[in-house]
Amino acid sequence: MRKIVLLGMTTILLNGCSPDVKPIQYTYLPEVYDTLNLTDFKKDDPKLGVLIKQVCATKPVAAPKEYAIGKQYFVNLVSQFPESMGEQAVYLKTKQDRFLYCHDYVSKPGYHKLTRKQDRFSSEHLVMPENQVEFQKLSSNFEESVRISGRSLMKSARQLTVPTTGYLVVRATNEQTKQTVVTNIMELTPFVGPVPLVLESNIQIQEPYEVQLNLMGQARYRAPIHSSKERSTIQFKEAPHADGTYGTVTVKEKTGKTTRYKLSVKHEKQLPPNLDVPPDELYDADYSLPRFALFHDRSLGKMKFVNNDLDMAEPLSPDAYIETSLEESKQLVRLIEDSEEAEPKGRLAERQYLTLLNKGKAQQFKIYLDQRIKKTDVYLEDVHRKVGFKLSAAGRDVFLDTYHIK
C-alpha cells in the first residue's frame, strides 16, 4: 500500500500537476510598498518592508528592559494609494532577543518580537540609549530648520540626546516668585532621536505675546514661559547642566519690567499630574486602508532618496490605469476565484497589470491574451507565486468588454 501511495505522488510530480491553488491569495506584496531606511537616507529592499509589515502585524509583547537601537524604517503603500498612513519601525537588540518597535499611526505603538529566521536586519552601528538627558551643540542638520521660524534665539539652541522611555519634562521657575510651571512634555520612544530645543520670543497666535521653549519633535504638551501685552526682548545664559539645568532666560518688556526664569529639562518616568495633556493622537477605529482593483500598464512608482532628500514618486498618469470601485473589485475577485489553474498562453496585454488591494495586503497579476479566430482567452499570472489561471467565459467578457483589455 505504501508503495502505491509513493508511486502516485511520483506520478503527480512528473506530470507537473500541483494541488489545487487558490486564485486569490493576498499578501504583503513588495511591488506595492515603498521601503525607506530613514537612518541611512536610502530606499531599502522591498522584501525587508514586507518582513516589517508581517512582524508589526503580530501581537505586541512586553517591552524589553535593556536594548541597543538599530536602524529606523518607514514602509508605506506607493503613492498611487495616498490613503495609506504607513508603518514606522525601529530595530532593537538585546542579549537574547530581537524586536521591532512599530507604529502604524492607527493603533498604539508597541514592541514585536522577531524570530531568528526573521532577524534579517543589520546589527552594525547599534547604539545604546542614554539613561539621562545629554546637552550638546546643535548639529548642522538641524541648524537651518531652527533658523527658519525667524523667532528663534539661536544662542539658546541646543541638541538633546535622550532616553527611549518615559517623558522629557521642561519646567520654568520664576526666580522672583519661585513659582514653577511645566512648559513642555515630550513622550520618549525608540523613534525619538536627537531633539533640538530653542527659545522663541514674541509668538502671537492670539494676544498676548509669548515666550516659549520649542522642543522640535513629538511634543505632547506646550505652555508659555512668559506672556506680555507687547513685544519683549529675551536673553539666554547657559548654565552647567547638572541635575537637568538648561539655563536662564531673562525677559524684558517694553515697560521695563524684567523677569528671569530658570529652565530645567529632565527625564521622568511618569507624566506630571494635574496637566491638561491631550490623549495619544490615534485615528478613529473605523479608519481602513483602501480596497479596490487597479488595471495599469506599467509598474507602480516608488519613492527614493536623492541627496538625502526624499523624492516623492509620481502616481500613474490618468491614462495609464483604470481604478475600480469597491463593488467592481469584489466582482473581479469573484470572477478570478472561478478561474482554473493553467499555464498562461498568448501575449501580454497592452495594459498588462492587475493589482488587487485589500486593506494592507495585495495581489498582482500579469494579463495575457490568447487570440483565436473566433474568441480570445484571458490568462492571469500571479507575479508573486508565478502560477497562472484561465478566466471563465464570464470573466473573459468582463475583462475585454467592461475594462477594454486588449
Side-chain angles (χ1 to χ4, degrees), residues 41 305-310:
F41 295 105
F305 283 105
V306 179
N307 298 325
N308 289 354
D309 287 327
L310 190 60

Side-chain angles (χ1 to χ4, degrees), residues 45-57:
D45 183 355
K47 291 181 180 178
L48 194 64
V50 168
L51 175 61
I52 290 169
K53 292 294 294 183
Q54 290 172 336
V55 174
C56 291

Side-chain angles (χ1 to χ4, degrees), residues 136-146 157-159 194 196:
Q136 299 162 342
K137 182 181 177 181
L138 194 69
S139 69
S140 58
N141 291 338
F142 286 122
E143 195 165 346
E144 183 60 28
S145 59
V146 170
R158 297 292 180 272
Q159 186 170 304

Side-chain angles (χ1 to χ4, degrees), residues 24-33 50 54 356-364 382 384-385:
I24 296 296
Q25 186 180 84
Y26 296 109
T27 185
Y28 293 110
L29 198 65
E31 286 81 0
V32 303
Y33 280 105
V50 168
Q54 290 172 336
L356 304 175
L357 196 68
N358 189 358
K359 299 181 179 179
K361 297 182 179 182
Q363 186 170 9
Q364 191 174 90
D382 186 311
H384 185 63
R385 294 181 292 167

Side-chain angles (χ1 to χ4, degrees), residues 34 78-80 300-304 310-315:
D34 287 311
V78 295
S79 57
Q80 194 65 39
L300 301 171
K302 300 281 191 116
M303 289 193 294
K304 58 184 177 180
L310 190 60
D311 184 22
M312 301 295 289
E314 291 293 329

